């Protein structure tokens, strides 16, 4: 296994799919993401990027949610091969 | 959106309503995720019109309405949309406290059929506190189109909760919802509690329950309460203490036990906190349930939406389309308002003649007649004639964008800019609302979670020109910046107007940045924004709602402000000292300062007297220039230009007046709204000073620059 490098949600491009591995966040924002259904094992697809590349919009459990890069960079994922 | 009927007092009550237990009947909480059509259900059930919009977090205040079904009275409380009972933005805390502690008889949880899985989270959480919960799966028609089928019977069996499929806008399932509600309220045996949590948690809950049971004398679900003590979330514990009247979490026995339980649980699950465990168990349960009851017939059910989104938020298309839409809306508003405005003002002048003869007929003293007609009537009719047509056009257009679901895309497109200013992308929505009315924009700031960012949005809101300032801006643009008689003059003036607005937006960014570097220091907060699917708006309803809820509401406020303004202006213009009206003492006094910022005393005075409504700034200027005792309407734009030029206006005066109009104190209605929203005199004062000081500085710089320029060349 040379899986040392962690991939974060902000690094995937539009159309890519991923599964959440862990949340490197705490407090209020972690709770908010959990409310939106982002926990370990949640499938996420990147749907859009805003004109400036930040924030990105992600399909999470049937809803499209925009997340700023400073948050999505702390969501560690496993990419799914399409 | 800010101007819901609840905030306008249009039929519904304000947030802090005290429910009257004697004639409220059964109290029903209407809960749900944001943007699932909760307000439509509310309207459909109660007939009370609360405006619905297509973006998250619109219900800014609790609205209450009642209906009678089969002789039983129900009071329905529309609580702010919330994703869960765990998070607590200002709105969601209100929602949570209502659900947990209001002692409501039952709860209806409205769910979006296309997004059931996430909605079920909330269902499970509410079901824990309110045993009599009904699931209302709304927007069923929309889901059908996407090929999403919800097996409501299976869901009902799995959760042991009544499930009703509805489409509030099409009137599907509402009778059934009422019937099920009636049954549920009168059901005596409570349904078996659904098992959500794993054995370890369930055991911990039982242990805690044993301890708290003898200490609690209020009617509340003890299992739920036990879990909350184990989780130990601060804001929740505070709310519980408020409810119980004492702080049970300080109890030694309980304290010891929950500490131990917390340690054991977090260790065995390898999680940071107990709530992490409970939340993920709830989510997994919802996932499992949704998998069983929802089936998808089309795999590409959303691709069309995403294609539209790709264009509307595209790298090269997103911003230009947004600007074009902005320009088109202004163009339609300006173009379309001319004719009805003229019509209205003709009507009012005809009525004025009748009033003259009427007052003459009843032998009213001359001074009083002048006071009423030249003072109050003129100002009020002016405000209506100038304000009503553009608003009646702008608000429906704005509501159209809102109902379509375009507004969250604006926030999405512009968020990066706001982030750079340490502000929130949702501020763009409150700004957009500010184009209609700044007071409405200020109320709308409630959708911003972080208090710091909310204050930034409130303070800077008046830098986007509201409908009341457009006529002044447009008149000046037409007079001084567009060549007379050009064929494309309305196009040119639209372009210039859009540039003026862009300047206002730039200044908003600048001020936001300035504020977040100085008095409102802080890092940008967490930003999550839901982009709801585009929805087909219902045009007829849209027009009725936007006219009633927004246009007439704003107009009524403006008229109320215009009456005393009219009186004061008249008195200033007609009470003389040494044969010179008071007005001129004021304007002469202001003149030296006003000259520094490129204006003159009359213009500055007009802005001060225009505090109640920006519409009357131009008329006051005319009145003062022409030394007349009453507001002066102008017959043609050429005549107006002539008057202004005779009184020393140059393009510099015009530019400074425009900038000052963009950046000065908010109108009195907005200030009152700010006071109400911030509950602080200090922030109201700051909202007054910040745009004013900045406006003065900018006008001063422009004036100096032009003086130097003239001197050198």
């Amino acid at each position: 296994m040379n899986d040392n490098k962690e991939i974060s949600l902000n690094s995937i491009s539009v159309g890519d799919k991923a599964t959440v591995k862990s949340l490197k966040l705490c407090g209020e924002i972690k709770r908010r993401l959990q409310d939106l259904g982002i926990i370990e094992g949640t499938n996420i697809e990147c749907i859009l990027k805003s004109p400036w590349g930040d924030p990105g919009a992600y399909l999470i459990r049937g809803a499209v949610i925009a997340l700023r890069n400073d948050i999505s960079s702390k969501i560690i994922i496993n990419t799914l091969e399409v | 959106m800010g101007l819901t009927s609840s905030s306008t007092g249009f039929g519904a009550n304000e947030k802090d309503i005290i429910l009257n237990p004697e004639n409220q009947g059964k109290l029903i909480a209407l809960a749900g995720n944001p943007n699932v059509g909760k307000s439509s259900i509310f309207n459909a059930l109660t007939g009370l019109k609360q405006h619905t919009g297509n973006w998250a977090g619109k219900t800014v205040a609790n609205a209450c309405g009642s209906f009678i079904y089969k002789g039983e009275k129900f009071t329905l409380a529309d609580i702010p949309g919330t994703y869960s009972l765990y998070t607590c933005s200002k709105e969601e805390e209100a929602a949570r406290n209502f659900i947990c502690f209001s002692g409501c008889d039952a709860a209806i949880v409205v769910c979006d059929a296309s997004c059931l899985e996430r909605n079920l989270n909330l269902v499970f959480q509410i079901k824990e506190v309110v045993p009599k919960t009904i699931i209302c799966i709304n927007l069923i028609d929309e889901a059908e189109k996407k090929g999403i089928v919800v097996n409501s019977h299976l869901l009902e069996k799995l959760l042991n909760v009544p499930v009703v499929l509805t489409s509030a806008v099409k009137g599907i399932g509402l009778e059934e919802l009422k019937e099920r509600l009636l049954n549920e309220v009168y059901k005596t045996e409570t349904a078996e509690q659904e098992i959500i949590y794993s054995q370890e948690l369930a055991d911990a809950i039982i242990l805690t329950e044993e301890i708290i049971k003898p200490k609690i004398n209020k009617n509340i679900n003890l299992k739920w309460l036990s879990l909350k003590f184990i989780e130990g979330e601060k804001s929740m514990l505070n709310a519980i203490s408020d409810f119980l009247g004492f702080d049970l979490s300080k109890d030694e026995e309980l304290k010891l036990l929950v500490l131990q339980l917390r340690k054991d649980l977090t260790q065995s699950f390898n999680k940071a906190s107990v709530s992490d465990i409970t939340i993920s168990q709830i989510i997994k349960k919802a996932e499992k349930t949704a998998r069983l009851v929802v089936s998808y017939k089309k795999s590409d059910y959303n691709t069309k939406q995403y294609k539209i989104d790709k264009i509307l938020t595209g790298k090269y298309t997103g911003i230009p389309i947004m600007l074009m839409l902005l320009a088109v809306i202004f163009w339609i508003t300006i173009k379309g308002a001319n004719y009805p405005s003229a019509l209205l003002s003709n009507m009012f002048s005809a009525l004025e003649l009748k009033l003259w003869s009427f007052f003459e007929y009843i032998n009213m003293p001359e001074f009083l007649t002048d006071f009423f007609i030249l003072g109050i009537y003129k100002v009020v009719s002016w405000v209506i004639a100038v304000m009503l047509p553009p608003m009646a056009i702008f608000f429906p257009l704005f509501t159209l964008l809102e109902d379509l679901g375009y507004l969250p895309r604006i926030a999405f497109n512009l968020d990066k800019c706001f982030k750079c200013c340490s502000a929130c992308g949702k501020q763009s929505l409150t700004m957009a609302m500010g184009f209609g009315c700044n007071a409405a924009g200020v109320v709308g700031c409630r959708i911003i979670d972080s208090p710091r960012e909310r204050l930034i949005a409130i303070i800077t809101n008046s830098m986007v020109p509201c409908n009341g300032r457009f006529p002044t801006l447009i008149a000046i643009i037409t007079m001084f910046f567009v060549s007379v008689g050009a064929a494309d003059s309305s196009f040119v003036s639209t372009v210039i107007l859009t540039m003026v607005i862009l300047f206002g937006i730039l200044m908003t960014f600048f001020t936001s940045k300035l504020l977040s570097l100085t008095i409102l220091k802080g890092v940008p907060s967490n930003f999550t924004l839901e982009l709801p699917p585009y929805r087909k708006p219902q045009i007829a309803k849209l027009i009725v709602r936007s006219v009633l809820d927004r246009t007439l509401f704003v107009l009524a406020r403006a008229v109320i402000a215009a009456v005393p303004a009219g009186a004061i202006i008249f008195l200033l213009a007609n009470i003389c000292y040494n044969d010179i009206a008071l007005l001129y003492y004021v304007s002469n006094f202001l003149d030296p300062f006003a000259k520094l910022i490129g204006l003159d005393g009359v213009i500055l005075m007009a802005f001060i007297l225009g505090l109640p409504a920006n519409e009357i700034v131009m008329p006051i200027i005319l009145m003062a220039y022409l030394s007349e005792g009453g507001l002066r309407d102008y017959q043609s734009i050429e005549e107006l230009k002539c008057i202004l030029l005779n009184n020393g206006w140059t393009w510099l005066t015009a530019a400074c007046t425009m900038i000052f109009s963009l950046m000065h104190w908010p109108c009195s209605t907005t200030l009152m709204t700010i006071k109400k929203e911030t509950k602080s005199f200090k922030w109201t004062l700051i909202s007054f000073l910040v745009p004013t000081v900045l406006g003065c500085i900018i006008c001063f710089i422009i004036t100096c620059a032009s003086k130097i320029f003239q001197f050198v060349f």
Side-chain angles (χ1 to χ4, degrees):
Chain A
M1 291 277 283
N2 58 358
D3 198 16
N4 289 333
K5 230 176 86 190
E6 286 179 327
I7 310 170
S8 56
L9 187 60
N10 67 323
S11 62
I12 65 172
S13 31
V14 174
D16 288 353
K17 291 176 182 172
T19 317
V20 175
K21 209 162 143 190
S22 62
L23 299 179
K24 287 193 149 182
L25 292 154
C26 54
E28 203 185 312
I29 180 61
K30 184 178 184 186
R31 189 74 359 112
R32 163 73 66 184
L33 295 181
Q34 286 170 334
D35 288 340
L36 296 170
I38 306 176
I39 56 168
E40 277 167 45
T42 305
N43 293 323
I44 295 184
E45 181 183 344
C46 181
I47 297 284
L48 296 167
K49 294 266 180 180
S50 100
W52 324 82
D54 179 20
Y58 304 91
L59 180 64
I60 300 160
R61 296 183 192 268
V64 181
I65 311 283
L67 297 174
R68 279 179 177 171
N69 283 353
D70 47 9
I71 295 171
S72 54
S73 64
K74 291 187 180 117
I75 301 175
I76 308 302
I77 51 157
N78 293 315
T79 48
L80 297 182
E81 292 307 320
V82 189
Chain B
M1 181 71 50
L3 281 177
T4 58
S5 342
S6 52
S7 60
T8 61
F10 199 82
N13 294 315
E14 271 278 87
K15 187 184 171 185
D16 307 315
I17 30 161
I18 298 161
L19 291 162
N20 182 354
E22 266 167 32
N23 55 25
Q24 75 180 21
K26 298 286 177 192
L27 180 60
I28 313 295
L30 188 69
N33 279 190
N35 204 40
V36 292
K38 221 157 47 67
S39 303
S40 317
I41 293 274
F42 180 82
N43 290 345
L45 285 179
T46 63
L48 244 183
K49 304 295 183 204
Q50 211 211 358
H51 182 81
T52 55
N54 189 7
W55 47 288
K58 194 205 58 87
T59 311
V60 284
N62 277 349
C64 266
S66 57
F67 65 95
I68 292 172
Y69 182 72
K70 292 194 175 165
E72 182 66 47
K73 187 170 181 184
F74 294 93
T75 295
L76 203 58
D78 184 10
I79 52 185
T82 175
Y83 289 110
S84 96
L85 302 184
Y86 280 94
T87 19
C88 18
S89 72
K90 199 176 163 192
E91 276 191 353
E92 285 177 310
E93 205 170 73
R96 184 197 67 189
N97 289 347
F98 189 89
I99 294 166
C100 298
F101 306 116
S102 71
C104 51
D105 295 287
I108 299 175
V109 186
V110 185
C111 299
D112 179 351
S114 328
C115 188
L116 190 61
E117 187 182 329
R118 194 190 63 204
N119 288 244
L120 281 176
N121 288 342
L122 186 66
V123 172
F124 284 123
Q125 291 178 30
I126 290 181
K127 182 90 176 44
E128 274 186 295
V129 216
V130 186
K132 290 180 177 177
T133 294
I134 294 171
I135 302 179
C136 163
I137 301 182
N138 195 26
L139 303 171
I140 197 74
D141 50 329
E142 201 177 279
E144 222 163 76
K145 267 189 217 145
K146 295 180 190 167
I148 300 172
V149 180
V150 180
N151 185 341
S152 61
H153 298 291
L154 183 61
L155 183 62
E156 189 159 340
K157 236 165 82 190
L158 285 172
L159 303 192
N160 213 350
V161 185
V163 178
V164 186
L165 299 177
T166 59
S167 164
V169 284
K170 294 203 171 149
I172 301 170
L174 295 167
E175 282 306 302
E176 193 193 342
L177 181 61
K178 288 183 194 170
E179 183 66 37
R180 299 299 293 267
L181 183 64
L182 188 71
N183 288 340
E184 192 65 15
V185 164
Y186 280 101
K187 215 164 69 181
T188 41
E189 90 274 20
T190 39
E192 191 65 27
Q193 193 76 22
E194 177 70 7
I195 300 153
I196 302 171
Y197 303 117
S198 60
Q199 196 58 47
E200 294 94 325
L201 260 174
D203 291 342
I205 290 173
I206 290 170
L207 280 175
T208 318
E209 194 185 349
E210 272 166 17
I211 291 187
I212 61 170
K213 201 170 187 172
K215 292 169 183 157
I216 298 216
N217 53 4
K218 285 204 174 166
N219 184 20
I220 192 160
N221 184 337
L222 292 176
K223 283 210 161 54
W224 174 80
L225 199 61
S226 307
L227 182 60
K228 295 303 130 185
F229 279 119
I230 302 173
E231 286 172 350
E233 299 271 317
K234 225 184 196 132
S235 111
M236 192 45 155
L237 289 184
N238 288 341
I240 290 173
S241 304
D242 285 347
F243 172 73
L244 293 176
F246 64 99
D247 194 355
L248 186 57
S249 63
K250 290 255 157 59
D251 184 275
E252 282 303 319
E253 195 184 1
L254 181 65
K255 224 163 144 181
L256 277 175
L257 177 73
V258 293
L259 277 179
Q260 187 59 42
L261 287 173
R262 253 176 239 165
K263 209 176 126 200
D264 294 350
L265 284 167
T266 46
Q267 251 170 22
S268 67
F269 283 90
N270 193 21
K271 293 260 173 143
S273 71
V274 180
S275 16
D276 282 357
I277 304 170
T278 50
I279 291 171
S280 67
Q281 288 186 3
I282 293 170
I283 292 174
K284 289 203 174 117
K285 176 87 188 167
E287 191 180 297
K288 229 172 98 190
T289 315
R291 216 169 272 164
L292 289 171
V293 299
V294 184
S295 49
Y296 301 89
K297 284 188 181 158
K298 299 179 198 161
S299 55
D300 59 340
Y301 62 92
N302 266 336
T303 35
K304 208 170 136 197
Q305 295 258 349
Y306 300 152
K307 267 187 199 144
I308 301 173
D309 266 339
K310 279 231 171 80
I311 299 167
L312 291 183
T313 64
K315 199 166 189 170
Y316 304 107
T317 47
I319 306 272
I321 288 178
M322 201 185 72
L323 292 179
M324 257 166 52
L325 267 173
L326 191 73
V328 166
I329 286 186
F330 291 135
W331 187 77
I332 297 176
T333 307
I334 295 162
K335 223 29 197 164
N338 284 340
Y339 178 70
S341 263
L343 205 71
L344 275 174
S345 79
N346 285 342
M347 201 188 79
F348 281 122
S349 353
L351 191 64
E352 191 186 321
L353 290 178
K354 293 250 163 65
L355 276 176
W356 281 115
S357 32
F358 173 72
F359 280 142
E360 209 172 329
Y361 175 73
I362 59 167
N363 280 329
M364 184 82 115
E366 199 187 339
F367 182 79
L368 276 181
T369 312
D370 284 355
F371 178 75
F372 280 115
I373 295 180
L374 291 179
I376 294 172
Y377 176 80
K378 266 262 169 159
V379 173
V380 172
S381 63
W382 177 284
V383 167
I384 295 174
V386 175
M387 212 174 166
L388 181 61
M391 274 201 316
I393 298 170
F394 178 86
F395 276 132
L397 288 175
F398 183 80
T399 315
L400 179 74
L401 287 188
E402 183 188 350
D403 285 8
L404 276 170
Y406 182 65
L407 295 189
R409 272 79 186 175
I410 296 182
F412 182 66
N413 281 342
L414 292 179
D415 181 64
K416 183 71 187 276
C417 315
F418 285 98
K419 189 185 165 191
C420 291
C421 310
S422 308
C424 176
K426 290 181 196 165
Q427 192 176 333
S428 55
L429 303 186
T430 64
M431 284 162 68
M433 225 184 306
F435 284 122
C437 168
N438 293 129
V442 168
V443 177
C445 290
R446 294 187 197 169
I447 57 164
I448 298 170
D449 296 333
S450 138
R452 188 186 69 85
E453 290 165 7
R454 196 179 316 129
L455 276 173
I456 291 181
I458 288 176
I459 295 172
T460 55
N461 194 276
S462 71
M463 290 187 192
V464 289
C466 63
N467 259 312
R469 284 179 274 172
F470 276 121
T472 313
L473 291 175
I474 294 163
I476 297 175
I477 289 171
T478 331
M479 281 183 292
F480 289 89
F481 298 95
V482 181
S483 50
V484 183
D488 54 352
S489 61
S490 69
F491 173 74
V492 176
S493 50
T494 305
V495 170
I496 296 177
L497 182 65
T498 309
M499 276 162 51
V500 172
I501 291 161
L502 285 181
F503 176 75
I505 292 172
L506 269 178
M507 287 317 295
T508 306
F509 284 133
F510 171 77
T511 316
S512 302
K513 182 80 195 166
L514 196 70
L515 287 171
S516 56
L517 286 175
T518 51
I519 46 175
L520 284 166
K521 264 193 194 130
V523 285
S525 80
N526 314 306
F527 172 79
T528 54
L529 173 77
E530 187 168 351
L531 302 179
Y534 294 103
R535 290 186 180 134
K536 212 167 104 193
Q538 300 162 280
I539 303 293
K541 256 190 191 168
L542 181 154
I543 291 171
V544 174
R545 295 269 52 82
S546 53
V547 169
L548 287 182
D549 285 354
R550 296 199 167 134
T551 312
L552 292 184
F553 164 71
V554 174
L555 190 70
R557 277 197 186 176
V559 168
I560 291 168
V563 172
I568 292 173
I569 294 164
F570 179 81
L571 293 178
L572 278 178
N574 288 283
I575 296 176
C576 296
Y577 179 73
N578 288 344
D579 269 350
I580 299 169
L582 289 180
L583 203 62
Y584 298 98
Y585 289 102
V586 178
S587 71
N588 286 337
F589 173 75
L590 292 171
D591 205 54
F593 174 73
K595 283 266 160 59
L596 279 181
I597 55 173
L599 310 175
D600 63 26
V602 169
I603 304 171
L604 189 58
M605 180 190 62
F607 275 112
I608 293 171
L609 290 176
L611 178 73
N614 279 292
E615 289 75 7
I616 52 175
V617 168
M618 222 24 166
I620 298 174
I621 293 176
L622 282 188
M623 179 181 85
Y625 283 154
L626 296 173
S627 315
E628 284 181 7
L631 277 198
R632 176 62 201 270
D633 198 351
Y634 48 95
Q635 298 308 316
S636 71
I637 210 87
E638 285 78 31
E639 184 200 339
L640 179 60
K641 187 177 180 179
C642 199
I643 297 167
L644 294 181
L645 286 176
N646 287 340
N647 281 280
W649 276 51
T650 59
W651 69 268
L652 177 70
T653 326
C656 286
T657 309
M658 270 172 29
I659 289 169
F660 199 73
S661 165
L662 207 58
M663 298 178 71
H664 67 294
W665 46 86
C667 72
S668 55
T669 316
T670 308
L671 283 173
M672 284 188 300
T673 314
I674 293 173
K675 175 82 197 342
K676 212 174 142 200
E677 288 299 307
T678 59
K679 295 191 177 66
S680 144
F681 178 73
K682 182 183 138 200
W683 291 115
T684 314
L685 186 68
I686 289 174
S687 311
F688 180 94
L689 288 176
V690 166
T692 310
V693 170
L694 282 173
C696 289
I697 291 174
I698 292 174
C699 288
F700 178 71
I701 292 172
I702 291 178
T703 313
C704 289
S706 93
K707 291 261 160 68
I708 292 168
F709 193 78
Q710 278 171 355
F711 185 73
V712 174
F713 297 96

